[in-house]
Amino acid sequence: MKSSQLIMYPKGTEVDVHYPDFIWLCIASFAFGGVCWYLGYLGAAAAWLENTSVVVSYLFYVLIVFLAFFYIRALIIVLDRKQNWLLNPQKRFATQLFTCCLLPTLFLFGVIRPVAIPKDEWLWLPLLVIFGGVLFLNILYTSCFFVALDHKRRCSILELERMVLHRDLKISILNEQLQSMSSIENEAEEITVAEGAEKETDLTEEIDLSRVKSIDPEQEEFLLNNRFLTQKIMYSELGLFAFENNNNTPIVQLYLKTDMGEPIACEQRSLNEVVRDTNGFVQKIGRYHAVAADMIHACNLLRGGRLRIVLKVPFEGKVDFEVSAKIARRIKGWVMLQVPIEKE
């Protein structure tokens, strides 16, 4: 079975460390137990082993090495939980060096007991061999920890990359949806504006000439209301109304007789509304223009039933407007309230 444990490291992340199998620990104990048995046999030949068989003495050393290795394994697992390498590497190194290297080395060296010294340097040979084996086991366990940590980091990077790709895909899909929705909205606005512009010529009701004739321009007031001001303007000051489509937004601009170069925005969104709000005093002379009755200076009848209306004050350099036959039939009586219609 595998020795596996979850180890916490900074920011609350867990690392799943897989240490060498229990079977590999047993194999290492048999191998290194033979080395210790050989060193003990040459260096000590303890009296209590002289009357035992080679197999029994060898198994004794295997058991001692297994206990030492199992102690190292158990203590490293405890240190991983209490003092893992990432939280405090200096303290972990010192603790592991003392508890997992020096103490097991002294324990095994004390069991071998090389008291019969054939040479002066004999003491160092078993000590170095035992320390080397114990140190190798510590390095193996430490390597397992950092391999698991590297695997965790690689998996985290791959997961982050997948999340970024997934997020970018979602963003691209949302952008496409937004573009599609905005194009649909723009088309709808264009259709609405186009319909509104077409409706500018849809006035079919007859003009109430008696009502228009009863209007006194010096007494009646036109209520101008927009975001910036609210003002009452006498009908006698009204000049021309112009319909504009600014960024798909219908706007009606008022030009006063006294200042035809400075437009004033109205709350109305079509010329038809202006005609109704002024009770017919203002009438449309085209799809985009409407004039007040007393703004007309003269009128001429053209071929095909069309009219040419001459204004008292020029608008954008033009003093006359040509009216279509359809509109002319509707406003002919309204014009004649102000000026006679002369043939051209």
Side-chain angles (χ1 to χ4, degrees):
M1 60 181 176
K2 291 184 177 180
S3 174
S4 176
Q5 66 167 351
L6 290 175
I7 298 173
M8 298 293 296
Y9 69 98
K11 297 182 181 180
T13 306
E14 294 181 340
V15 179
D16 191 9
V17 182
H18 295 277
Y19 287 127
D21 293 350
F22 183 78
I23 296 176
W24 288 106
L25 197 64
C26 294
I27 294 173
S29 300
F30 273 94
F32 198 66
V35 174
C36 291
W37 172 83
Y38 181 73
L39 294 174
Y41 174 76
L42 293 179
W48 53 278
L49 288 176
E50 289 179 354
N51 298 323
T52 59
S53 64
V54 174
V55 175
V56 174
S57 61
Y58 168 68
L59 292 177
F60 170 76
Y61 279 105
V62 168
L63 178 62
I64 296 300
V65 170
F66 176 79
L67 292 176
F69 282 4
F70 188 81
Y71 159 80
I72 294 172
R73 171 185 174 276
L75 195 57
I76 285 178
I77 292 175
V78 173
L79 290 176
D80 284 343
R81 294 173 180 171
K82 302 296 184 181
Q83 298 178 4
N84 72 66
W85 287 99
L86 299 180
L87 293 176
N88 197 338
Q90 294 84 2
K91 187 175 182 181
R92 169 60 185 268
F93 176 79
T95 304
Q96 185 166 336
L97 179 65
F98 178 75
T99 58
C100 298
C101 288
L102 296 181
L103 289 182
T105 299
L106 294 176
F107 169 72
L108 292 175
F109 184 74
V111 173
I112 293 175
R113 294 189 304 171
V115 292
I117 304 176
K119 296 181 181 180
D120 293 338
E121 65 272 13
W122 177 242
L123 265 176
W124 296 105
L125 178 61
L127 187 62
L128 291 176
V129 171
I130 295 171
F131 181 76
V134 173
L135 182 62
F136 177 78
L137 185 65
N138 278 268
I139 292 174
L140 180 62
Y141 273 90
T142 303
S143 299
C144 289
F145 175 83
F146 283 101
V147 167
L149 178 63
D150 182 69
H151 177 71
K152 176 67 176 180
R153 286 174 175 170
R154 289 177 183 272
C155 291
S156 299
I157 292 173
L158 290 175
E159 183 65 24
L160 287 174
E161 290 177 350
R162 282 195 293 267
M163 290 174 62
V164 170
L165 290 175
H166 185 64
R167 184 198 62 184
D168 292 342
L169 180 61
K170 279 189 174 181
I171 290 174
S172 63
I173 293 174
L174 288 175
N175 286 334
E176 291 177 358
Q177 292 177 350
L178 288 175
Q179 291 176 0
S180 176
M181 292 175 64
S182 62
S183 63
I184 293 173
E185 289 177 357
N186 290 336
E187 291 176 0
E189 289 178 358
E190 291 174 359
I191 292 172
T192 303
V193 172
E195 290 177 350
E198 291 177 358
K199 288 180 179 178
E200 292 294 349
T201 60
D202 288 341
L203 280 176
T204 57
E205 65 269 18
E206 293 184 1
I207 302 174
D208 189 350
L209 297 179
S210 60
R211 185 175 185 181
V212 175
K213 190 175 181 179
S214 65
I215 295 176
D216 184 358
E218 300 295 338
Q219 299 295 328
E220 297 290 340
E221 296 176 337
F222 175 76
L223 181 61
L224 177 67
N225 189 14
N226 57 35
R227 291 183 302 173
F228 305 103
L229 58 88
T230 299
Q231 180 181 355
K232 292 181 178 180
I233 301 174
M234 303 304 298
Y235 275 22
S236 59
E237 298 178 20
L238 299 178
L240 182 142
F241 291 85
F243 176 80
E244 298 177 5
N245 181 13
N246 187 7
N247 294 327
N248 294 328
T249 302
I251 298 175
V252 175
Q253 305 274 22
L254 167 62
Y255 295 84
L256 300 177
K257 289 180 183 178
T258 55
D259 191 2
M260 294 293 283
E262 187 67 28
I264 305 173
C266 302
E267 65 176 341
Q268 289 83 359
R269 287 295 174 261
S270 71
L271 296 178
N272 293 339
E273 293 183 37
V274 176
V275 172
R276 295 188 182 99
D277 291 346
T278 57
N279 297 317
F281 183 78
V282 175
Q283 290 293 331
K284 291 173 60 176
I285 58 174
R287 177 171 292 185
Y288 301 105
H289 298 95
V291 296
D294 61 353
M295 181 70 170
I296 301 175
H297 177 67
C299 181
N300 298 319
L301 180 63
L302 305 178
R303 291 182 180 179
R306 294 173 293 116
L307 295 177
R308 176 182 288 116
I309 292 179
V310 182
L311 304 181
K312 292 180 180 179
V313 182
F315 173 70
E316 295 182 350
K318 292 179 60 177
V319 72
D320 58 348
F321 286 83
E322 189 172 306
V323 182
S324 67
K326 182 179 180 181
I327 298 178
R329 286 194 297 269
R330 182 175 180 275
I331 68 171
K332 191 174 181 179
W334 173 78
V335 173
M336 293 179 67
L337 290 177
Q338 306 299 322
V339 295
I341 299 177
E342 302 177 355
K343 290 185 179 181
E344 194 174 54

